[in-house]
Amino acid sequence: MARSRISRRSALLKGGAAVSSLSILRLAGPAHAFQTPTAGVVVPWLDMLEENPVPEVIVRQLDWEQLDSWITPNDQFFVIKHFNEPALDPADWRLEVSGLVATPMSLTLDDIMARARQEVTFTIECSGNTGLPFFNGGIGNATWAGTPLAPLLEEAGVLDDGIEVVFWGADAGEQTWGEVTITEQFARSMSLTDAMAPENILAYEMNGAELPNLNGYPLRLIAPGWYGIANVKWLTRIEVRDARYQGNFMAREYVTMREEERDGETVWTFTSVGRDRLKSAPAKVIREGDAYTIMGAAWGAPIGGVEISIDGGDWQPATLGESDGDANAWTFWTFDWAAPASGEHTVTSRATDVDGNIQPAPDDPLLAGKTTYWESNGHITRTVAIE
Ligand SMILES: Nc1nc2c(c(=O)[nH]1)N[C@H]1C(S)=C(S)[C@@H](COP(=O)(O)O)O[C@H]1N2
Ligand SMILES: [Mo]
């Protein structure tokens, strides 16, 4: 314990000088930058992520201490990939719309780009984010552009038996199911009703640029309001089926196991990760002279408010900042931290949605009874040292 504390501190001291000079440049930056403060230095968090043991899966994370723009630049956007990274050539890539449809389709990228264009600014979060000690940056906010999914399914003409829509990626990997080892293609599904939601788009553009390869070039599903896993990258086929789909990412991984009470009896429930949950996180502490400001983000529902607890004390309101007034994108917030005493402090945030629901505490039965790390939307506590 003592040793790790020392090494954390020395890492922190080394990082400190570089962080402060860069921060000043960054804070003077783009129009979408945090409004306050206009200058200042980041006071680094003392708690640090463990070393990422799966860099081929968690390829890139948001660095909260660097967060200074409401839109996450593409080169800083987090990347999760479970299998290989496809390299799809747009010349021979096609999107197939098949299965229980009256008119199967095979579309080129040009066909798709010639269709109606729709944009959405959507904060994607991986449902594993903050559920593991090496993972807290599985989140980013981008403006996605593409063509709406519903009219495409309407044109294909879903047959009466079609109840499930499967989105297939081009990536695949070895999976062992019982005694059988196979090569499973990445796929996730949704009910037809969920798939037909007007906000869903097949996106070919991210923040005004071509979709980066790691984020699913040339086409991905963007399903606003759904956890990351639903947003299938490197899309090649949309298939309508007559039964629920039960692939690895529906029925084995991305399954939340929870202990629940039923009239005094314990039952275990298993649910496939679906829609985003109300959540917030402190992003960074900024010092400007003697003034300290805590900044952060809240997402997963239309945000009504955010509160901060210092050292486990009373909840105090933060000020809501940048948002686009749309529940699909995160809301930034700031908190004036008046004259903190020198020494170590904890900073905890919790969000409330416009209906009054509160982000759960880690000991809330909803989270305490959960044994898998998915959907960990409990309060996030960070630690910082004030000089
Ligand atoms: N084809 C495919 N799509 C995928 C994945 C994947 O491994 N393969 N990962 C999913 C997961 S778990 C997340 S959190 C998001 C991450 O999107 P990003 O890498 O663009 O940030 O993509 C989802 N779509
Ligand atoms: Mo994810």
Side-chain angles (χ1 to χ4, degrees):
M1 278 308 282
R3 255 189 76 215
S4 85
R5 173 46 62 77
I6 288 163
S7 65
R8 279 178 187 190
R9 282 206 180 270
S10 57
L12 171 81
L13 290 174
K14 273 188 227 136
V19 166
S20 34
S21 54
L22 280 174
S23 304
I24 291 164
L25 293 175
R26 273 201 306 277
L27 287 166
H32 254 306
F34 273 119
Q35 308 288 284
T36 55
T38 50
V41 295
V42 175
V43 186
W45 299 117
L46 293 184
D47 56 289
M48 285 159 75
L49 291 183
E50 287 179 9
E51 198 187 333
N52 176 6
V54 284
E56 66 293 343
V57 178
I58 303 176
V59 177
R60 194 191 293 142
Q61 299 196 48
L62 176 77
D63 180 351
W64 285 102
E65 286 178 4
Q66 309 269 329
L67 182 70
D68 62 359
S69 62
W70 188 73
I71 291 287
T72 312
N74 291 358
D75 61 0
Q76 290 166 34
F77 209 89
F78 83 103
V79 171
I80 305 290
K81 69 167 179 54
H82 291 278
F83 296 143
N84 58 310
E85 180 186 353
L88 301 172
D89 179 352
D92 47 45
W93 174 90
R94 295 288 182 278
L95 177 71
E96 309 288 339
V97 183
S98 63
L100 296 173
V101 293
T103 315
M105 300 187 201
S106 176
L107 302 166
T108 65
L109 192 55
D110 284 346
D111 292 339
I112 289 164
M113 293 176 81
R115 297 178 62 88
R117 181 185 161 94
Q118 185 169 308
E119 287 189 10
V120 62
T121 302
F122 169 41
T123 302
I124 299 193
E125 185 189 21
C126 177
S127 51
N129 190 40
T130 69
L132 296 162
F134 46 86
F135 191 27
N136 75 358
I139 185 166
N141 185 45
T143 298
W144 311 89
T147 195
L149 172 62
L152 198 68
L153 288 171
E154 262 158 24
E155 266 176 59
V158 175
L159 300 176
D160 286 348
D161 287 348
I163 59 162
E164 189 84 351
V165 183
V166 186
F167 300 89
W168 295 91
D171 47 334
E174 218 171 67
Q175 296 282 296
T176 300
W177 287 77
E179 298 183 346
V180 185
T181 295
I182 47 116
T183 301
E184 178 170 350
Q185 205 170 330
F186 186 93
R188 271 282 301 198
S189 73
M190 278 184 183
S191 70
L192 180 62
T193 309
D194 285 337
M196 290 297 287
E199 60 272 20
N200 293 339
I201 61 172
L202 303 175
Y204 43 74
E205 225 178 83
M206 179 177 178
N207 293 330
E210 191 172 76
L211 201 58
N213 202 56
L214 280 166
N215 303 99
Y217 180 84
L219 195 72
R220 78 179 299 172
L221 176 64
I222 286 293
W226 289 72
Y227 271 118
I229 189 70
N231 297 262
V232 177
K233 306 192 278 189
W234 306 294
L235 204 57
T236 55
R237 175 179 294 114
I238 298 174
E239 186 185 28
V240 180
R241 300 179 65 102
D242 63 359
R244 307 308 309 274
Y245 185 74
Q246 302 285 290
N248 186 65
F249 303 97
M250 295 299 293
R252 291 209 305 178
E253 289 186 54
Y254 293 87
V255 170
T256 295
M257 247 175 95
R258 190 179 268 124
E259 192 180 1
E260 294 179 6
E261 290 292 309
R262 300 274 189 282
D263 303 323
E265 303 256 305
T266 298
V267 296
W268 286 91
T269 61
F270 300 78
T271 52
S272 188
V273 165
R275 291 180 192 275
D276 288 324
R277 288 171 183 270
L278 177 63
K279 193 164 172 180
S280 67
K284 59 183 176 181
V285 175
I286 299 262
R287 180 174 65 79
E288 193 185 356
D290 291 334
Y292 290 83
T293 306
I294 306 167
M295 300 170 153
W299 63 92
I303 301 302
V306 172
E307 295 161 292
I308 306 305
S309 163
I310 304 292
D311 299 325
D314 291 345
W315 293 104
Q316 305 171 62
T319 304
L320 297 188
E322 247 178 310
S323 91
D324 63 357
D326 184 318
N328 294 317
W330 59 16
T331 298
F332 276 177
W333 51 263
T334 57
F335 178 80
D336 284 333
W337 190 2
S342 65
E344 277 188 27
H345 298 279
T346 62
V347 173
T348 307
S349 71
R350 75 172 185 192
T352 304
D353 71 13
V354 291
D355 297 322
N357 299 305
I358 302 175
Q359 181 186 353
D363 63 356
D364 186 293
L366 182 79
L367 295 176
K370 186 167 78 66
T371 59
T372 44
Y373 54 83
W374 315 110
E375 303 182 274
S376 293
N377 70 321
H379 305 163
I380 294 171
T381 298
R382 305 295 309 260
T383 310
V384 72
I386 301 297
E387 274 175 20

